[in-house]
Structure formats: C-alpha cells, structure tokens
Amino acid sequence: MPKRFRMTRRVNLALTEDAWRRLRKFAQDGGLDEGEALSFLFENFDSVTDEDNLTHRLRLFNSELEDRKR
C-alpha cells in the first residue's frame, strides 16, 4: 500500500527569482504544485542529484553568495 501523502510541515521559504521560476516550471511540467514539487525533490534528493556536480555547484554558489547579497 502506498504511503499517504500528507503535508505535515509548513516552511517560510525565501527564493531568488530564478529559483522560483525554475521551481514553478518543474512543478508545472510534473503536474504538481510548488509544495509537492519541493517534497518530491527532497524525498528523492540522492537519486535526483549527481554528487560530484552538486559539490561543484555548491562551491560556486557559496563563492558568489556574498556578492549576490549586495
């Protein structure tokens, strides 16, 4: 029997405009709302990310973060 899909946590979330547009597109393409899309991504995080690419992208993001905050 499949696990029941219940939204049990609410999170106040801040996203960049680019991240919001990408989340909305991903959700729309998958027939989901934004909360369902985020749940899918985090429930399946290891299988939807490439560990080497993720590490590299995280380093790049962190190196640009202070400049992006200004």
Side-chain angles (χ1 to χ4, degrees):
M1 187 165 158
K3 194 165 58 171
R4 184 163 180 243
F5 189 78
R6 293 183 347 168
M7 297 292 211
T8 59
R9 303 284 187 262
R10 301 266 179 221
V11 178
N12 187 6
L13 183 66
L15 297 172
T16 62
E17 282 297 318
D18 289 342
W20 178 246
R21 280 193 293 275
R22 185 64 189 104
L23 175 62
R24 291 196 62 201
K25 182 177 180 348
F26 173 75
Q28 186 176 32
D29 291 349
L32 305 168
D33 68 29
E34 291 84 4
E36 293 165 342
L38 284 172
S39 290
F40 168 81
L41 288 172
F42 283 106
E43 285 181 14
N44 299 284
F45 189 78
D46 291 335
S47 63
V48 298
T49 59
D50 175 88
E51 187 175 349
D52 294 332
N53 193 29
L54 176 64
T55 304
H56 173 70
R57 291 303 224 162
L58 186 56
R59 267 193 302 249
L60 284 173
F61 183 82
N62 280 332
S63 70
E64 299 170 350
L65 191 56
E66 285 305 314
D67 289 337
R68 292 178 73 178
K69 287 182 180 181
R70 294 179 198 156

